[in-house]
Every structure is written in structure tokens, then in C-alpha cells.
Amino acid sequence: MTAAAVECPYDIRSLNGDPNGLPLMITPRQDADARRLCVWIGTQHGWIAERLHRHGALLFRGFAVNDAATFERVARAIDDDLKNEYLGTSPRNGLTDYVFTASELPSFYPIPQHCEMSFVAQPPRRLFFCCLLPPAEGSGETPLADFRKVLRDLDPALVRRFEERGLRIVRNYSGPEGGGRFDLWKLKRWDEMFLTGDRAAVEAKCRAEGFEPTWTAGGGLRLVSTQPVTRTHPVTGERVWHNHVTTFHLSAAPGEYRRIYGLRPTLRNCFFWQVARVLSAVQRRTKPRDELAMHCTYGDGTEIRQADMEALRDAIWKHMIIIPWRRGDVVAIDNYAVSHGRLPYRGPREVAVCWA
Ligand SMILES: [Fe+2]
């Protein structure tokens, strides 16, 4: 079924010129009512699913989606199976039972491209963002990248090096007593992530997710997990680059800031790049690998070639689509095809997230 086959009250077009490109944008001709958008979505489930797979993401722009409850209704119209268990690293605040602030990480910190919770046993199928308060112009976008295209672009020898060994991820979480939520060299508290201070319950959850837990001195928790770097899309059967390597690797911050400085060559961005470069080098030289806040290696524990990390970031940045947020924008993402991240920003910004 195509949208044209039914009376469609909205304009539908692909951004960036490619008829199958990322994302497909849906805007009202006249009727910007979010409730009627939900009704329309309810009549178009097959079409929405097909377009999500084809384009990788849908952008609903110009509808009055100005609060978390309305955002949740729009997301539920697309997929009513929302989840609220979050085992990622970003600090988040709840806005409804199922809608959260996307990340409370400091605004200057870039979040590299990743597929949401790619390291858990069952990563979300779909991810939704909504802009409740746009950031200052030229900052704070949530770029998207088609990880199917990234995989196609990568040197097969690089992919083989990753595929043969997989990834090993180490994350060190602070304990209930320790650590600021916003210390970049410490992750949030483990009781905050697992929503319990009961160590036995945490260990049981770790077993279910395939994480190897170690309680560390000072009440912290180390999680070690492995994951493949690619997955097969559960519906389309396409192979997809699907992992957290550019997010968790120790070189993440300097690697991103270098490219952000290339995109936006300001003194501020140059400063953050140089600071991140130095801090990352200090961490590498002074801390054992497994005590870093986050890091990843090949599955056998050997370090990933620096040149491979750079080639990977180049491929991802080549495919990144950066669209300035507008208030009320809702983006629906096929999490098994398309990654997301966050560019640094200044001033207020409120972007909400939920997933199914
Ligand atoms: Fe994310």
C-alpha cells in the first residue's frame, strides 16, 4: 500500500535528493493536529513500516508535538510496544513512564554514532526522538547515519578483522556512594542504571544480557561484554554495521572533536579537540585497560588498530545526515539500520527519546 493510494493529507518527500534517502519527511499541508496525525498513522502501519525500512528514518515536522505526553502518543501510534528499561551509559531523566530526556551528558560532549543499546541481548527495533526545545542554531543536532551504507563502504579487510574477533566492551560504573553523574571519566552509578541497589538482582540481569559483572573496590561495577560488529536486519535481511565501537573506544572524544572542528572550525571546538586528545592520551598511559570508564578492543582483548578506528569514523561521517532541530520534530528510526548521535551545543536544548 502506498500513501498515494489513500487520501493523504500530508506532503511526503525524501530529504537530500535521494528518493530512497534518509530521512523521509512528512509535513502537514494544512492540518497540523498531532491527534489526527496519530489517527492517520494508525491507518498506515504497513506503509510506515515499509518506509522505515527503506529510508531508515521518518521525520514528522510541523505537527504540534510540544510535550512528552503528545510525543509518546505519536510514538505509540507507530509502535505501541514501547519499553522503558535502559541499560545504556547516558544519564537520563524520566518525562513520562516511557519518555526520557535523550541524554544529560554535558552539552559540550559529542555523542558518536551508535545503534541504541546494540550491546544488549535484544536491542530496540525502533527509536524515537522529539525536539521539545531546539538548541542554538548550528549546534545540538542529532545526526543520523545509514549503517547499511557504512558497512558497504568499509574496506572488506577492516570488516574481516572485526568480524573474525568481534568486540569486547568494558564499562566501569560508579557505586551508590561514588561519583558524579557528570564526570566524563566515570560512568553513572550502577544502581541508577539497573534501578536497584540489590547486587543479586543486578547479577541476574547481567546474566540475562550477557554481561560479565565484577564488583570493584569502592563499590563500583565493571561490566564486560562481547558483541559482533554486524547484524542481519530482522525484517529485510540486510547486513548492517551495528555496534558501539566508535562510542565506547577510548579515542571516541578526540576522534569526534577532530571532525566536529572540521565541520565547525571555531576556537571553542579546537580547544575541546586538543583537551580531549590530551586527556585521552593521559588515560591511555595511566590506567589499565579494564579500569577505563569505557573502552573496547577486539573480542580477544587486542587493541583495535588506530587506522581502522579513523577509517571507520571517516565512513560514518561521510554518511552522516545533519538536520537542524525544529520544535515539535519527531524522528522515528529503524534502529537495526540507522545510527544516531549528538553534536555539542550551547544554551538550553530539550530532546526526548523513547523506544520499542
Ligand atoms: Fe543513543
Side-chain angles (χ1 to χ4, degrees), residues 92 114 116 340:
R92 288 179 169 173
H114 59 280
E116 190 71 2
H340 62 280

Side-chain angles (χ1 to χ4, degrees), residues 86 92 111 114-117 127 129 244 340:
Y86 178 59
R92 288 179 169 173
I111 301 178
H114 59 280
C115 295
E116 190 71 2
M117 287 186 263
L127 184 69
F129 287 109
H244 263 66
H340 62 280

Side-chain angles (χ1 to χ4, degrees), residues 61-270:
R61 169 164 282 176
F63 299 93
V65 186
N66 296 327
D67 58 74
T70 309
F71 169 44
E72 184 175 329
R73 276 197 293 279
V74 173
R76 282 191 184 281
I78 297 169
D79 195 326
D80 197 28
D81 191 22
L82 295 186
K83 304 282 196 291
N84 57 6
E85 189 175 63
Y86 178 59
L87 295 175
T89 48
S90 271
R92 288 179 169 173
N93 296 329
L95 299 175
T96 74
D97 285 349
Y98 290 87
V99 173
F100 300 83
T101 56
S103 177
E104 296 296 319
L105 281 172
S107 59
F108 59 81
Y109 194 79
I111 301 178
Q113 292 290 307
H114 59 280
C115 295
E116 190 71 2
M117 287 186 263
S118 72
F119 45 84
V120 303
Q122 288 284 325
R125 294 172 293 110
R126 288 167 174 174
L127 184 69
F128 304 90
F129 287 109
C130 177
C131 179
L132 301 175
L133 182 63
E137 206 179 317
S139 78
E141 299 91 342
T142 299
L144 307 174
D146 192 324
F147 267 20
R148 299 167 292 193
K149 292 180 179 172
V150 168
L151 179 60
R152 275 179 237 144
D153 268 11
L154 288 170
D155 176 359
L158 178 154
V159 176
R160 200 163 46 248
R161 280 193 285 279
F162 276 104
E163 286 209 303
E164 283 174 358
R165 289 182 268 182
L167 274 186
R168 177 183 187 271
I169 296 167
V170 59
R171 296 178 280 163
N172 279 289
Y173 289 87
S174 309
E177 302 300 319
R181 205 182 187 201
F182 303 114
D183 181 343
L184 287 182
W185 303 109
K186 264 185 198 166
L187 296 184
K188 62 189 178 185
R189 300 188 333 244
W190 58 260
D191 58 318
E192 190 184 347
M193 180 166 91
F194 287 99
L195 300 177
T196 176
D198 179 343
R199 291 187 174 205
V202 169
E203 288 170 9
K205 183 65 187 164
C206 286
R207 279 194 295 277
E209 296 293 345
F211 304 156
E212 182 190 315
T214 304
W215 301 105
T216 57
L221 174 63
R222 176 175 307 137
L223 296 181
V224 174
S225 53
T226 54
Q227 67 172 156
V229 289
T230 61
R231 284 181 192 265
T232 300
H233 192 287
V235 176
T236 66
E238 298 160 293
R239 268 178 84 223
V240 185
W241 186 255
H242 193 277
N243 60 71
H244 263 66
V245 64
T246 49
T247 306
F248 286 160
H249 195 268
L250 180 58
S251 65
E256 290 301 306
Y257 276 125
R258 181 161 85 77
R259 288 162 179 82
I260 290 165
Y261 176 65
L263 176 73
R264 293 175 177 149
T266 63
L267 265 180
R268 177 185 163 89
N269 286 336
C270 184

Side-chain angles (χ1 to χ4, degrees), residues 25-37:
M25 185 167 75
I26 297 157
T27 52
R29 284 191 202 113
Q30 291 177 328
D31 185 0
D33 186 280
R35 277 170 308 170
R36 281 193 289 277
L37 171 66

Side-chain angles (χ1 to χ4, degrees), residues 303-317:
E303 292 294 333
I304 298 164
R305 296 176 184 197
Q306 193 59 28
D308 283 359
M309 291 301 302
E310 290 302 314
L312 182 50
R313 287 192 191 97
D314 285 342
I316 290 172
W317 271 72

